Amino acid sequence: MGQIKACLFDLDGVIVDTAKYHYIAWRELAAELGFEFTEEDNERLKGVSRMTSLNILLEIGGVTLSDEEKLRLAEKKNENYRTFILKMQPDEILPGAEAFLKELKAQGIKIALGSASKNAMTILDRLQLTDLFEAIIDGTKVTEAKPDPEVFLKGAEALGVNPDECVVFEDAEAGVEAALAGNMRCVGIGSPDVLGKANIVVDGLHQMNYEKLMELN
Ligand code: BG6
Ligand code: MG
């Protein structure tokens, strides 16, 4: 592994808790289709693309639909979800995230976003964090979903660094796998039970600082 030169951040669950808004919107869709969708079910959608999320939801409800109908429902869910994220405020940034990003920047570490979300730009703008990222790779710029490393490899390329000079911050198992598949180090955000493959696991970015990052060198 090379010296750490860059950090790549997942968005949902690392910088902001959007899972609660995704949950409300998916639950309403499930209710319209006539079945219950629980918070536990929602855990399965973390880090997973919008269409895959819908497929999991339909499987839970035992519902089969045409591709056309699925596209319509995914769009409907997204419109509902966007009513929540369009109201987000910077005080919804998760504890320690902004301070850590600013510390990295001050230390000359390059920063990129690596998210599956097609709403990432909207969210970063609402949180007033867009300017802290030198590169933003989101769901509109990739064809392969995590655990494929595409999103992070594109981030490294955009920053002009090698994968083995990057550290990824991820809250989803598929995201940790994507980082490792890309030959990058990974800090898991959440439970060691789920993210055990990561190099270290912390509760949140409030537990990170530059010094702790350098221990991964
Ligand atoms: C990921 C979330 O970051 O983005 C998933 O963890 C979500 O839950 C995915 O499904 C896609 O998001 P969007 O905003 O494009 O529907
Ligand atoms: Mg995430």
Side-chain angles (χ1 to χ4, degrees):
M1 286 281 168
Q3 280 287 114
I4 295 166
K5 288 189 186 155
C7 288
L8 311 182
F9 290 86
D10 175 47
L11 176 64
D12 298 311
V14 171
I15 291 173
V16 67
D17 176 22
T18 43
K20 58 189 178 203
Y21 302 132
H22 280 296
Y23 176 53
I24 296 170
W26 285 126
R27 191 184 56 196
E28 284 183 15
L29 187 71
E32 281 171 37
L33 293 168
F35 63 91
E36 203 189 328
F37 181 72
T38 67
E39 219 156 335
E40 199 187 329
D41 293 332
N42 195 54
E43 286 299 308
R44 290 178 59 191
L45 309 189
K46 284 190 179 168
V48 168
S49 75
R50 193 182 306 164
M51 228 357 135
T52 307
S53 296
L54 177 63
N55 284 328
I56 293 171
L57 180 123
L58 294 175
E59 181 201 306
I60 289 167
V63 176
T64 311
L65 297 172
S66 66
D67 286 351
E68 204 182 358
E69 185 66 358
K70 282 199 227 174
L71 276 176
R72 192 184 70 79
L73 291 183
E75 182 56 38
K76 188 176 179 187
K77 177 268 170 180
N78 191 50
E79 275 171 27
N80 191 0
Y81 173 65
R82 283 184 63 85
T83 63
F84 295 102
I85 59 171
L86 286 169
K87 285 184 265 183
M88 286 175 87
Q89 298 292 328
D91 65 6
E92 288 187 57
I93 299 169
L94 285 169
E98 190 169 8
F100 184 50
L101 288 169
K102 287 183 171 161
E103 188 189 9
L104 292 176
K105 209 174 169 71
Q107 294 285 354
I109 298 285
K110 291 172 182 279
I111 303 169
L113 192 85
S115 167
S117 173
K118 292 183 172 151
N119 293 297
M121 285 307 304
T122 305
I123 295 168
L124 287 181
D125 283 347
R126 288 298 310 166
L127 301 178
Q128 296 173 21
L129 289 176
T130 312
D131 292 349
L132 285 171
F133 292 87
E134 264 173 74
I136 295 175
I137 312 296
D138 64 13
T140 67
K141 295 188 178 145
V142 292
T143 53
E144 302 303 322
K146 300 170 188 176
D148 189 284
E150 183 188 10
V151 69
F152 296 131
L153 292 177
K154 282 197 166 154
E157 197 186 341
L159 292 177
V161 295
N162 294 323
D164 73 352
E165 296 167 332
C166 296
V167 178
V168 169
F169 293 81
E170 255 295 345
D171 72 311
E173 191 180 10
V176 172
E177 287 168 1
L180 300 181
N183 195 29
M184 298 179 179
R185 278 158 279 202
C186 186
V187 176
I189 307 286
S191 157
D193 294 345
V194 185
L195 308 173
K197 290 180 198 144
N199 297 85
I200 57 165
V201 181
V202 296
D203 287 338
L205 292 178
H206 58 284
Q207 291 182 343
M208 281 306 303
N209 55 41
Y210 179 71
E211 204 185 319
K212 197 159 175 181
L213 180 76
M214 288 302 120
E215 286 171 13
L216 295 173
N217 261 321

